[in-house]
């Protein structure tokens, strides 16, 4: 079976680990968010791609959910001793090596998709990880504070300000010109099923869907999503601040409406959200908290099972049409 999944960072990566357990013999292609990417100290940092790569490759700091395990912070301390900014973004020594290799390869002219493939050769994540685009895009957030109304990089709003200042607008700079990376549209075309993990619906999945051609390609596919919102609140993190910025309520229903039909064909919600629905979408209620790999695998199994049933129903409907 060929499965395509879109993914942000922590939520996406933890779900993907479950998906690999649930469907070990499947060919899984992950289209990763690069809107969070940032240049720091001359290095290109791709937080979401790295979180997926480290999580699936066994190198992630489990408690934190991002960065490397057994990490030290000598380089960060030395940079701080020179007064180099920013000091609010935590990069560990082992992690620095990844960004050095990436930057070296990008400077040599390799596209990000080729660089990601090279980095994954070491980590063997068990999926094919492709950035959504080789073109540079960056999520910026418009805020008003003592310095006036201005746009800051997503990471500054998310990490430095902890989303405490309301986002007036969230903009993917470069979205109009960005093309899907090589292999993205082909992987979608070849996919039997598409699964949207519980990643941030605005700045992770929503960002990937803004790349020209991706949403259109997905419309034709059987797509099942896992709600990142349970009982009117994010499970963890600050997704509510992102949803509020685009005028969407923090509910499983509102996120389903945001994705909409024909994109979404099946939607998994938590048991307390069992009343959620939308025309043309099969909604099922399941336990949706990822406590560990096994609970993530159970959610992935439920998503695959729902997608398989929807795809079979569609196949039967098409054959009926052919027979007539
Ligand atoms: P990312 O978008 O993949 O980078 O991941 P985040 O860690 O920022 O989380 C994105 C969304 O996933 C948030 O809205 C969380 O509420 C949601 N989320 C995190 N953990 C879980 C979980 O165990 N179950 C469900 N259903 N959603 C989760
Ligand atoms: Ca669809």
């Amino acid at each position: 079976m060929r499965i395509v999944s879109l993914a942000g960072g922590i939520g996406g990566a933890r779900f993907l680990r479950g998906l690999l357990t649930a469907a070990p013999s499947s060919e899984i292609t992950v289209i990763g968010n690069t809107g969070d990417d940032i240049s720091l100290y001359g290095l290109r940092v791709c937080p979401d791609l790295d979180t997926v790569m480290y999580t699936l490759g066994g190198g992630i700091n489990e408690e934190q959910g991002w960065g490397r395990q057994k990490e030290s912070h000598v380089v960060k301390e030395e940079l701080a001793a020179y007064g180099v900014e920013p000091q609010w973004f935590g990069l560990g020594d082992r992690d620095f090596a990844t960004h050095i290799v990436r930057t070296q390869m990008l400077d040599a002219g390799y596209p990000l998709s080729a660089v990601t493939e090279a980095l994954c050769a070491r980590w063997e994540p068990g999926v094919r990880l492709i950035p959504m685009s080789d073109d540079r895009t960056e999520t910026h957030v418009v805020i008003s504070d003592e310095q006036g109304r201005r746009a800051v990089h997503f990471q500054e709003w998310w990490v430095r300000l902890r989303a405490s200042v309301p986002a007036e607008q969230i903009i993917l700079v470069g979205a109009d010109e960005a093309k899907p990376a090589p292999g993205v549209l082909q992987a979608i075309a070849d996919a039997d099923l598409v699964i949207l993990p519980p990643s941030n619906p605005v700045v992770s999945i929503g960002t990937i869907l803004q790349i020209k051609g991706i949403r259109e390609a997905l419309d034709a596919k059987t797509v099942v999503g896992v709600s990142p919102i349970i009982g009117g609140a994010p499970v963890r993190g600050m997704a509510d601040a992102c949803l509020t910025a685009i005028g969407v309520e923090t509910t499983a229903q509102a996120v389903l409406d945001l994705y909409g039909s024909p994109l979404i064909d099946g939607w998994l919600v938590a048991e307390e959200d069992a009343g959620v629905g939308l025309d043309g979408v099969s909604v099922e209620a399941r336990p949706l908290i990822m406590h560990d790999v096994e609970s993530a695998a159970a959610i992935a199994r439920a998503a695959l099972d729902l997608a398989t049933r929807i795809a079979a129903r569609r196949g039967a409907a098409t054959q009926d049409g052919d027979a007539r």
Side-chain angles (χ1 to χ4, degrees), residues 8-12 48 198-200 204 227-228 230 234-236 239 288-290:
I10 305 177
D48 283 358
S199 276
N200 189 303
S204 293
S227 177
I230 297 184
V235 179
R236 40 186 303 287
L288 286 194
I289 302 283
M290 301 185 286

Side-chain angles (χ1 to χ4, degrees), residues 42 100-110 115:
I100 292 170
V101 175
R102 173 184 292 122
T103 306
Q104 209 173 22
M105 287 190 72
L106 288 171
D107 288 350
Y110 291 97
V115 176

Side-chain angles (χ1 to χ4, degrees), residues 218-223 262-265 314:
L218 290 172
D219 277 347
K221 292 285 157 176
T222 301
V223 179
L263 173 68
I264 293 278
D265 305 289
R314 284 182 158 180

Side-chain angles (χ1 to χ4, degrees), residues 4-134:
V4 162
S5 195
L6 314 188
I10 305 177
R14 288 189 172 152
F15 176 81
L16 289 169
R17 199 158 52 178
L19 185 63
L20 270 168
T21 306
S25 53
S26 293
E27 209 176 278
I28 302 173
T29 301
V30 176
I31 302 169
N33 172 39
T34 57
D36 297 14
D37 295 4
I38 187 166
S39 291
L40 297 167
Y41 329 110
L43 300 177
R44 194 68 182 156
V45 180
C46 302
D48 283 358
L49 295 179
D50 289 348
T51 296
V52 170
M53 185 172 79
Y54 294 156
T55 302
L56 300 184
I60 198 78
N61 177 326
E62 286 290 341
E63 295 72 52
Q64 208 168 243
W66 52 271
R68 294 285 309 279
Q69 61 185 353
K70 304 197 190 99
E71 191 55 291
S72 54
H73 293 86
V74 178
V75 175
K76 183 176 155 64
E77 284 159 26
E78 289 294 318
L79 287 169
Y82 284 111
V84 174
E85 296 290 341
Q87 294 182 15
W88 46 263
F89 203 86
L91 292 180
D93 299 330
R94 292 176 189 276
D95 202 15
F96 260 111
T98 303
H99 313 313
I100 292 170
V101 175
R102 173 184 292 122
T103 306
Q104 209 173 22
M105 287 190 72
L106 288 171
D107 288 350
Y110 291 97
L112 182 62
S113 51
V115 176
T116 305
E117 196 180 333
L119 294 171
C120 284
R122 170 185 173 191
W123 290 100
E124 301 183 342
V127 302
R128 179 169 174 226
L129 176 62
I130 318 180
M132 64 187 194
S133 179
D134 279 335

